[in-house]
Amino acid sequence: MTAISYKLLAAVAGVALPLTAGAQEPTSDWSGQVTPYVWASGLGGSVTPLPGGPTLDFDKSFGEVLEDLDIALFLAGQIRYKRIVVMGDFSTSTSSKEGAVPVPGVGILPAEGRLNQRSLTVTGGYRVADEEGLTLDVMGGLRHWSVRSTIDVAGGAISRSPRVSFTDPLVAVKANVGLAPRLSAIAYGDIGIGSRSTAQLLLTLNYQVSNHLYLSAGYRQLWLEYAKGGARGDATMAGPLVGATWRF
C-alpha cells in the first residue's frame, strides 16, 4: 500500500491548477481565452496513508513522476465582461505502476496500481485595476479534487478501490503587467481558506505571436497539507511550465 499511497498524494497535490496565461489584455467589453498547458513538476513531502501507520517521506524529480503517467490533460480558461472576471481550470490524469506489496500472513505478492484523478477550479471576481500596462484581479472560488486509486494483488485475488474527494474554498489575486508591445508578465497566487492548507504561486512571461495566439513560459509552486479519515500528508510541487493561449 505504500507505493499506491504515495501515488495518491502525488495526484491530489498535482491537480487543481487554476491558471490562464497571456499578454496584453483586449480592450473590448467581452473577452475570452483557452489555455492548454504542461507543468514539468517534481514532488516532495510526506504521507501517512493509514491512521496510526508509518509515515513515508518522498522526493521525486519530474522524470521519476513522468515514468508512471499514462495520460494527462490540463486546460484553463477565462471569460471577462468589463471588470467582472471568471476563471476555470480542469485537469485529469491516469497513472499506473507495477510492483509488490506485503500481505500479512502471506508474504510479498505482485501488485498493480492504477490512479485516476480529476480536478475542477472555478473562481470569479472583480478587476480592481485596469490601466495601460497593468490589470489586477481579486477573486474567490472553489477547488474540487476527486481521486480514485485501484490496487490489484496477485492478479486480482485481492482488490481495493478507495476514493477521496473534497472541495476547498480559496481566494486569489492575479496581476498582468505589460513589459513591451508584445511582452508581458503574469503573477498569480491563491490560498485555501478551508480546513485544509493549500497555496499556490505562479510567475510567467508571455509573448504575443498574433492577434489571438500567445505563448507563455514560467514557474509554479504548489503547497498542500491534506488530512482525511485519519490519513495525513503534505506535499510541495514545483517546476517550470509552458502554455499556449487562444484569445477571442
Side-chain angles (χ1 to χ4, degrees):
M1 290 296 293
T2 298
I4 303 303
S5 298
Y6 151 68
K7 288 177 65 57
L8 174 62
L9 181 61
V12 170
V15 301
L17 307 177
L19 305 178
T20 54
Q24 297 176 0
E25 295 283 347
T27 58
S28 62
D29 288 346
W30 282 97
S31 69
Q33 62 186 56
V34 178
T35 305
Y37 60 92
V38 176
W39 184 25
S41 171
L43 175 67
S46 64
V47 59
T48 305
L50 297 173
T55 297
L56 172 67
D57 296 320
F58 50 88
D59 185 7
K60 299 289 183 179
S61 67
F62 170 67
E64 291 172 314
V65 173
L66 192 62
E67 288 180 359
D68 298 333
L69 184 66
D70 296 329
I71 188 171
L73 171 66
F74 301 94
L75 187 65
Q78 175 180 299
I79 296 177
R80 178 186 60 83
Y81 175 67
K82 295 185 178 179
R83 288 180 177 258
I84 304 300
V85 179
V86 177
M87 294 174 56
D89 182 275
F90 174 76
S91 72
T92 181
S93 69
T94 300
S95 303
S96 61
K97 186 177 183 67
E98 296 182 353
V101 296
V103 178
V106 179
I108 304 297
L109 296 179
E112 180 180 357
R114 189 168 55 257
L115 186 90
N116 302 97
Q117 71 81 18
R118 291 184 179 181
S119 168
L120 177 63
T121 301
V122 178
T123 60
Y126 189 75
R127 179 153 295 178
V128 297
D130 191 356
E131 303 173 1
E132 183 176 358
L134 172 65
T135 64
L136 180 64
D137 303 329
V138 177
M139 297 168 288
L142 297 173
R143 178 178 296 152
H144 177 75
W145 280 282
S146 177
V147 183
R148 181 174 182 175
S149 59
T150 301
I151 181 170
D152 294 319
V153 182
I158 302 174
S159 183
R160 297 288 186 272
S161 297
R163 173 176 288 180
V164 176
S165 62
F166 56 90
T167 301
D168 282 334
L170 57 88
V171 292
V173 176
K174 176 187 173 186
N176 190 329
V177 181
L179 303 177
R182 289 183 175 267
L183 186 67
S184 71
I186 283 180
Y188 171 92
D190 67 41
I191 184 169
I193 56 175
S195 59
R196 300 171 183 86
S197 175
T198 178
Q200 182 176 203
L201 178 65
L202 166 74
L203 299 171
T204 67
L205 285 176
N206 318 288
Y207 180 75
Q208 181 180 0
V209 179
S210 67
N211 288 337
H212 299 285
L213 179 62
Y214 300 78
L215 300 179
S216 301
Y219 182 85
R220 166 188 266 158
Q221 188 158 350
L222 171 69
W223 300 268
L224 174 68
E225 183 178 348
Y226 169 74
K228 189 176 180 68
R232 305 182 64 87
D234 65 84
T236 299
M237 299 188 69
L241 61 82
V242 293
T245 295
W246 182 260
R247 276 200 169 145
F248 51 91

